[in-house]
Every structure is written in structure tokens, then in C-alpha cells.
Amino acid sequence: MTSPSVTATKPQAAAPAAHIPLAALSTPGHDAGLLLLRLVLGLTMAGHGAQKLFGWFGGGGISGTGQFFTASGYPAGDAMAVLAGLTETFGGLGLAAGLLTPLAGAAVVGTLINAIAVHGTGSFFAPAGIEYELLLTAGAAALTLTGPGRYAADRFLPVLRTQRLAHGALALALGVVLAAVTLLVRN
């Protein structure tokens, strides 16, 4: 016999999962990993841009890179060298800083699509392969879609404070379309 003060309890249904904001799922390790990826990928791309614009790091400068673009079938080789150099430099620095990450990542992706097209897809592995360009492209696309993490300048921009997949996907679509247009003007 049970006491009248003890009542039988019904088993409770599982509570619905609360909506947890994406920022709450971020961990210091996750953010540090994104920072490392952004710095290495972004500064690598900025260095490639500086090769094209200023001839630094053994690059050809505008004149030498322009000749390469002309030989690769692009019209106005010097103008294309400036365009590629600026895109790589500012896209790379934007990724490194985590500033306007969706646009910076899309700029890098678009530039690398052209690099892969010019380099050719005859082989995957170096020295004649596209593994390096493909790895940089995938890294930039991943950062564009995931966002820069907490240790980034985007945290101070209200619209980019929290990464939205739509921003990244739209930016990537823009980068791919502009890369395709650039490839269409190539002979």
C-alpha cells in the first residue's frame, strides 16, 4: 500500500531540442583552426597577388604576368594581370583578416577557377597537376560557406556577425559566374 502523498508520475515526453545559435556551438579550438586556415590560405593568396602586381617573391610583376596572360589567350594581358593581382591580394588579405569573408573567399575561388582552367586538368599531381590550385579553391570555398570564426573582423559587421549559409552560397555563385565570364573572353 502506498501513501496518499505519493502520486504516480507519468513519464515525461522528451523536451523538444532548443534552438542553439551557431555561435554557441563554436569552440575555441574550432575558431583557432579557422583562424589558422584563414591566415595560411589568405596570406598565400596575397603573396601570389603581390607577385603579379609588384614582382615580389620572384613574380613577374605586371609586365611579366601580362605577357603570361596574353600567351594564355586572355585579351589585354596587362589589365588581366592587374585584375588577377588585385583580386588575389585583396581577396587573400580579406580572408586572412576575416573581413567580408564571403566576398573575399568568392574572389579567391573565382581566381583559382581561372588558374585551374589555364593550368589544365591533364594530371592531378604535381608538377603538372592541379592539386595545389584545387586545395586552395576548396579551402577558400569552405571558409566562404562556414564563415571566419570568432577571431575575425566580420564579428564587428552586423550583417556578417553570424555566418549565414545563404551569404556564402550567394558569394560563391557570384565568384563562379564571374570566373566563367572571364574564361569566356579567353581565346
Side-chain angles (χ1 to χ4, degrees):
M1 176 165 215
T2 61
S3 164
S5 64
V6 176
T7 58
T9 58
K10 288 184 176 181
Q12 297 290 324
H19 174 66
I20 300 172
L22 182 60
L25 297 176
S26 181
T27 65
H30 175 262
D31 294 322
L34 287 172
L35 174 64
L36 177 64
L37 178 60
R38 283 193 354 256
L39 287 173
V40 171
L41 198 149
L43 294 177
T44 297
M45 290 307 301
H48 278 285
Q51 286 181 308
K52 291 173 179 62
L53 293 174
F54 310 115
W56 295 354
F57 314 116
I62 293 173
S63 176
T65 305
Q67 291 172 4
F68 171 78
F69 274 104
T70 299
S72 297
Y74 289 94
D78 286 353
M80 293 303 290
V82 169
L83 179 63
L86 289 173
T87 302
E88 289 177 359
T89 300
F90 288 115
L93 291 175
L95 279 179
L99 179 63
L100 302 174
T101 304
L103 293 176
V108 169
V109 167
T111 301
L112 287 165
I113 288 171
N114 273 269
I116 290 170
V118 168
H119 194 92
T121 56
S123 174
F124 182 75
F125 292 107
I130 60 166
E131 63 182 313
Y132 175 67
E133 293 87 353
L134 188 61
L135 182 61
L136 291 174
T137 305
L143 287 169
T144 302
L145 293 173
T146 63
R150 288 184 186 193
Y151 310 130
D154 281 352
R155 295 225 349 131
F156 301 105
L157 302 175
V159 71
L160 295 175
R161 190 167 291 137
T162 58
Q163 175 65 17
R164 291 178 177 82
L165 179 60
H167 290 145
L170 286 172
L172 277 179
L174 176 64
V176 169
V177 167
L178 291 176
V181 168
T182 304
L183 286 170
L184 287 174
V185 301
R186 185 173 166 230
N187 296 329

